[in-house]
Short mmCIF file of all heavy atoms in Angstrom, two decimals:
data_model
loop_
_atom_site.label_atom_id
_atom_site.label_comp_id
_atom_site.label_asym_id
_atom_site.label_seq_id
_atom_site.Cartn_x
_atom_site.Cartn_y
_atom_site.Cartn_z
N ASP C 429 11.56 10.39 21.69
CA ASP C 429 10.35 11.13 21.38
C ASP C 429 10.34 11.73 19.99
O ASP C 429 9.29 11.90 19.39
CB ASP C 429 10.15 12.26 22.41
CG ASP C 429 9.38 11.75 23.61
OD1 ASP C 429 8.98 10.57 23.58
OD2 ASP C 429 9.20 12.52 24.56
N ASP C 430 11.53 12.05 19.45
CA ASP C 430 11.52 12.70 18.13
C ASP C 430 11.53 11.68 16.99
O ASP C 430 11.60 12.04 15.84
CB ASP C 430 12.67 13.69 18.00
CG ASP C 430 14.02 13.03 18.28
OD1 ASP C 430 14.03 11.84 18.62
OD2 ASP C 430 15.05 13.71 18.16
N ALA C 431 11.43 10.39 17.32
CA ALA C 431 11.39 9.38 16.25
C ALA C 431 10.11 9.56 15.46
O ALA C 431 9.04 9.74 16.00
CB ALA C 431 11.44 7.99 16.86
N GLN C 432 10.28 9.50 14.15
CA GLN C 432 9.13 9.66 13.28
C GLN C 432 8.40 8.32 13.18
O GLN C 432 8.94 7.35 12.70
CB GLN C 432 9.64 10.10 11.91
CG GLN C 432 8.57 10.58 10.98
CD GLN C 432 9.14 10.81 9.59
OE1 GLN C 432 9.86 9.96 9.06
NE2 GLN C 432 8.84 11.94 9.01
N ILE C 433 7.17 8.28 13.65
CA ILE C 433 6.40 7.04 13.61
C ILE C 433 5.63 6.95 12.31
O ILE C 433 5.66 5.94 11.61
CB ILE C 433 5.41 6.98 14.80
CG1 ILE C 433 6.16 7.10 16.12
CG2 ILE C 433 4.59 5.69 14.73
CD1 ILE C 433 7.00 5.92 16.50
N CYS C 434 4.92 8.02 11.97
CA CYS C 434 4.16 8.03 10.72
C CYS C 434 4.93 8.87 9.71
O CYS C 434 5.00 10.08 9.84
CB CYS C 434 2.77 8.64 10.96
SG CYS C 434 1.85 8.92 9.44
N SER C 435 5.54 8.19 8.74
CA SER C 435 6.37 8.96 7.81
C SER C 435 5.51 9.66 6.76
O SER C 435 5.93 10.64 6.19
CB SER C 435 7.42 8.07 7.17
OG SER C 435 6.82 6.93 6.63
N CYS C 436 4.29 9.15 6.52
CA CYS C 436 3.44 9.82 5.52
C CYS C 436 3.07 11.22 6.00
O CYS C 436 3.05 12.16 5.23
CB CYS C 436 2.16 9.03 5.29
SG CYS C 436 2.44 7.36 4.71
N ASN C 437 2.75 11.34 7.28
CA ASN C 437 2.28 12.62 7.79
C ASN C 437 3.26 13.26 8.76
O ASN C 437 2.92 14.23 9.44
CB ASN C 437 0.93 12.44 8.46
CG ASN C 437 -0.09 11.92 7.47
OD1 ASN C 437 -0.41 12.58 6.50
ND2 ASN C 437 -0.56 10.71 7.69
N ASN C 438 4.47 12.70 8.82
CA ASN C 438 5.53 13.25 9.66
C ASN C 438 5.07 13.47 11.10
O ASN C 438 5.07 14.59 11.60
CB ASN C 438 6.05 14.54 9.04
CG ASN C 438 7.31 15.02 9.74
OD1 ASN C 438 7.98 14.22 10.41
ND2 ASN C 438 7.63 16.29 9.60
N VAL C 439 4.64 12.40 11.76
CA VAL C 439 4.20 12.51 13.15
C VAL C 439 5.21 11.78 14.03
O VAL C 439 5.57 10.63 13.76
CB VAL C 439 2.80 11.89 13.34
CG1 VAL C 439 2.30 12.16 14.75
CG2 VAL C 439 1.82 12.45 12.32
N SER C 440 5.67 12.46 15.06
CA SER C 440 6.70 11.88 15.92
C SER C 440 6.08 11.07 17.04
O SER C 440 4.89 11.20 17.35
CB SER C 440 7.56 12.99 16.52
OG SER C 440 6.76 13.73 17.43
N LYS C 441 6.91 10.24 17.65
CA LYS C 441 6.45 9.47 18.80
C LYS C 441 5.96 10.42 19.89
O LYS C 441 4.94 10.16 20.55
CB LYS C 441 7.60 8.60 19.32
CG LYS C 441 7.22 7.81 20.56
CD LYS C 441 8.40 7.06 21.12
CE LYS C 441 8.12 6.56 22.53
NZ LYS C 441 9.29 6.01 23.20
N GLY C 442 6.68 11.54 20.05
CA GLY C 442 6.31 12.50 21.09
C GLY C 442 4.88 13.00 20.92
O GLY C 442 4.12 13.06 21.88
N SER C 443 4.51 13.35 19.67
CA SER C 443 3.15 13.90 19.53
C SER C 443 2.10 12.81 19.71
O SER C 443 1.01 13.09 20.21
CB SER C 443 2.96 14.64 18.20
OG SER C 443 3.91 14.31 17.26
N ILE C 444 2.43 11.57 19.34
CA ILE C 444 1.46 10.49 19.55
C ILE C 444 1.29 10.24 21.05
O ILE C 444 0.16 10.14 21.55
CB ILE C 444 1.90 9.22 18.82
CG1 ILE C 444 1.82 9.46 17.30
CG2 ILE C 444 1.01 8.04 19.21
CD1 ILE C 444 2.54 8.45 16.48
N CYS C 445 2.41 10.19 21.77
CA CYS C 445 2.31 9.97 23.21
C CYS C 445 1.59 11.13 23.88
O CYS C 445 0.83 10.94 24.84
CB CYS C 445 3.69 9.78 23.83
SG CYS C 445 4.44 8.23 23.33
N GLY C 446 1.79 12.35 23.33
CA GLY C 446 1.08 13.51 23.86
C GLY C 446 -0.42 13.34 23.70
O GLY C 446 -1.20 13.60 24.62
N ALA C 447 -0.82 12.85 22.51
CA ALA C 447 -2.25 12.66 22.26
C ALA C 447 -2.82 11.61 23.20
O ALA C 447 -3.93 11.75 23.72
CB ALA C 447 -2.46 12.25 20.80
N ILE C 448 -2.04 10.55 23.44
CA ILE C 448 -2.51 9.49 24.36
C ILE C 448 -2.66 10.08 25.76
O ILE C 448 -3.66 9.85 26.44
CB ILE C 448 -1.53 8.30 24.35
CG1 ILE C 448 -1.52 7.62 22.98
CG2 ILE C 448 -1.93 7.29 25.43
CD1 ILE C 448 -0.47 6.55 22.80
N ALA C 449 -1.67 10.90 26.16
CA ALA C 449 -1.74 11.52 27.49
C ALA C 449 -2.96 12.44 27.59
O ALA C 449 -3.56 12.59 28.65
CB ALA C 449 -0.46 12.29 27.78
N ASP C 450 -3.32 13.05 26.45
CA ASP C 450 -4.48 13.95 26.46
C ASP C 450 -5.80 13.20 26.34
O ASP C 450 -6.85 13.82 26.13
CB ASP C 450 -4.38 14.96 25.30
CG ASP C 450 -3.26 15.96 25.55
OD1 ASP C 450 -2.81 16.04 26.71
OD2 ASP C 450 -2.83 16.65 24.61
N GLY C 451 -5.75 11.88 26.36
CA GLY C 451 -7.01 11.15 26.42
C GLY C 451 -7.35 10.30 25.21
O GLY C 451 -8.39 9.63 25.19
N ALA C 452 -6.50 10.31 24.16
CA ALA C 452 -6.78 9.43 23.03
C ALA C 452 -6.59 7.99 23.51
O ALA C 452 -5.50 7.63 23.96
CB ALA C 452 -5.85 9.74 21.87
N CYS C 453 -7.63 7.19 23.46
CA CYS C 453 -7.51 5.88 24.09
C CYS C 453 -7.60 4.74 23.09
O CYS C 453 -7.58 3.57 23.47
CB CYS C 453 -8.56 5.72 25.18
SG CYS C 453 -10.21 5.94 24.53
N ASP C 454 -7.71 5.05 21.82
CA ASP C 454 -7.66 3.97 20.83
C ASP C 454 -7.07 4.50 19.52
O ASP C 454 -6.79 5.69 19.40
CB ASP C 454 -9.05 3.34 20.62
CG ASP C 454 -10.10 4.37 20.23
OD1 ASP C 454 -9.72 5.49 19.84
OD2 ASP C 454 -11.29 4.04 20.30
N VAL C 455 -6.87 3.60 18.59
CA VAL C 455 -6.22 4.00 17.34
C VAL C 455 -7.02 5.05 16.58
O VAL C 455 -6.45 6.05 16.12
CB VAL C 455 -5.91 2.75 16.48
CG1 VAL C 455 -5.42 3.16 15.10
CG2 VAL C 455 -4.87 1.87 17.17
N PRO C 456 -8.34 4.91 16.44
CA PRO C 456 -9.08 5.95 15.72
C PRO C 456 -8.92 7.33 16.36
O PRO C 456 -8.81 8.34 15.66
CB PRO C 456 -10.54 5.49 15.81
CG PRO C 456 -10.46 4.01 15.99
CD PRO C 456 -9.20 3.75 16.76
N ALA C 457 -8.85 7.37 17.70
CA ALA C 457 -8.69 8.66 18.37
C ALA C 457 -7.32 9.26 18.05
O ALA C 457 -7.19 10.45 17.80
CB ALA C 457 -8.87 8.49 19.87
N ILE C 458 -6.28 8.42 18.05
CA ILE C 458 -4.94 8.91 17.71
C ILE C 458 -4.93 9.43 16.29
O ILE C 458 -4.38 10.48 15.99
CB ILE C 458 -3.89 7.79 17.86
CG1 ILE C 458 -3.79 7.36 19.31
CG2 ILE C 458 -2.54 8.26 17.36
CD1 ILE C 458 -2.78 6.26 19.54
N LYS C 459 -5.58 8.68 15.41
CA LYS C 459 -5.63 9.09 14.01
C LYS C 459 -6.25 10.47 13.90
O LYS C 459 -5.73 11.34 13.20
CB LYS C 459 -6.48 8.10 13.19
CG LYS C 459 -5.77 6.83 12.82
CD LYS C 459 -6.70 5.99 11.96
CE LYS C 459 -6.03 4.72 11.49
NZ LYS C 459 -6.96 3.85 10.74
N SER C 460 -7.38 10.69 14.59
CA SER C 460 -8.08 11.93 14.36
C SER C 460 -7.35 13.10 15.00
O SER C 460 -7.43 14.21 14.50
CB SER C 460 -9.53 11.84 14.83
OG SER C 460 -9.56 11.81 16.23
N CYS C 461 -6.59 12.90 16.09
CA CYS C 461 -5.93 14.10 16.62
C CYS C 461 -4.50 14.28 16.17
O CYS C 461 -3.95 15.37 16.35
CB CYS C 461 -6.11 14.25 18.13
SG CYS C 461 -5.77 12.82 19.10
N THR C 462 -3.87 13.29 15.58
CA THR C 462 -2.48 13.52 15.12
C THR C 462 -2.30 13.31 13.62
O THR C 462 -1.26 13.66 13.08
CB THR C 462 -1.50 12.55 15.81
OG1 THR C 462 -1.80 11.23 15.37
CG2 THR C 462 -1.58 12.63 17.31
N ASN C 463 -3.28 12.71 12.97
CA ASN C 463 -3.16 12.35 11.55
C ASN C 463 -2.29 11.12 11.32
O ASN C 463 -2.18 10.64 10.19
CB ASN C 463 -2.59 13.49 10.70
CG ASN C 463 -3.69 14.33 10.11
OD1 ASN C 463 -4.82 13.83 9.95
ND2 ASN C 463 -3.41 15.56 9.80
N ALA C 464 -1.63 10.63 12.38
CA ALA C 464 -0.79 9.45 12.20
C ALA C 464 -1.66 8.28 11.76
O ALA C 464 -2.79 8.13 12.23
CB ALA C 464 -0.08 9.11 13.50
N GLY C 465 -1.13 7.49 10.86
CA GLY C 465 -1.85 6.28 10.46
C GLY C 465 -2.99 6.50 9.49
O GLY C 465 -3.73 5.58 9.17
N THR C 466 -3.15 7.75 9.02
CA THR C 466 -4.30 8.01 8.15
C THR C 466 -3.97 7.85 6.67
O THR C 466 -4.87 7.88 5.85
CB THR C 466 -4.84 9.44 8.37
OG1 THR C 466 -3.77 10.35 8.21
CG2 THR C 466 -5.44 9.60 9.75
N SER C 467 -2.69 7.69 6.33
CA SER C 467 -2.38 7.57 4.90
C SER C 467 -2.19 6.12 4.49
O SER C 467 -3.12 5.49 4.03
CB SER C 467 -1.17 8.42 4.55
OG SER C 467 -1.44 9.77 4.83
N CYS C 468 -1.00 5.56 4.72
CA CYS C 468 -0.80 4.19 4.25
C CYS C 468 -1.19 3.18 5.32
O CYS C 468 -1.44 2.02 5.01
CB CYS C 468 0.64 3.97 3.80
SG CYS C 468 1.78 3.66 5.16
N GLY C 469 -1.24 3.58 6.56
CA GLY C 469 -1.66 2.66 7.62
C GLY C 469 -0.55 1.75 8.13
O GLY C 469 -0.76 0.97 9.04
N GLY C 470 0.64 1.88 7.52
CA GLY C 470 1.74 1.01 7.90
C GLY C 470 2.19 1.17 9.35
O GLY C 470 2.80 0.28 9.92
N CYS C 471 1.88 2.30 9.96
CA CYS C 471 2.37 2.55 11.31
C CYS C 471 1.33 2.17 12.37
O CYS C 471 1.58 2.33 13.56
CB CYS C 471 2.77 4.01 11.48
SG CYS C 471 1.41 5.16 11.25
N VAL C 472 0.17 1.68 11.95
CA VAL C 472 -0.89 1.38 12.93
C VAL C 472 -0.43 0.36 13.98
O VAL C 472 -0.72 0.53 15.17
CB VAL C 472 -2.18 0.96 12.21
CG1 VAL C 472 -3.19 0.39 13.19
CG2 VAL C 472 -2.78 2.16 11.48
N PRO C 473 0.33 -0.68 13.60
CA PRO C 473 0.81 -1.59 14.65
C PRO C 473 1.65 -0.87 15.69
O PRO C 473 1.56 -1.17 16.89
CB PRO C 473 1.67 -2.61 13.88
CG PRO C 473 1.18 -2.55 12.48
CD PRO C 473 0.71 -1.16 12.26
N MET C 474 2.45 0.11 15.24
CA MET C 474 3.26 0.88 16.18
C MET C 474 2.36 1.73 17.07
O MET C 474 2.64 1.89 18.26
CB MET C 474 4.25 1.75 15.41
CG MET C 474 5.30 2.39 16.27
SD MET C 474 6.29 1.20 17.21
CE MET C 474 7.83 1.27 16.33
N LEU C 475 1.28 2.27 16.53
CA LEU C 475 0.34 3.05 17.35
C LEU C 475 -0.22 2.16 18.46
O LEU C 475 -0.35 2.59 19.61
CB LEU C 475 -0.81 3.60 16.49
CG LEU C 475 -0.42 4.53 15.33
CD1 LEU C 475 -1.67 5.07 14.64
CD2 LEU C 475 0.43 5.68 15.82
#
Side-chain angles (χ1 to χ4, degrees):
Chain C
D429 272 357
D430 55 357
Q432 192 188 47
I433 302 289
C434 171
S435 52
C436 301
N437 299 297
N438 190 20
V439 186
S440 68
K441 177 185 166 189
S443 18
I444 292 165
C445 291
I448 295 172
D450 290 344
C453 58
D454 56 14
V455 172
I458 296 180
K459 281 183 177 176
S460 71
C461 49
T462 66
N463 267 336
T466 53
S467 299
C468 81
C471 62
V472 169
M474 190 58 107
L475 300 184

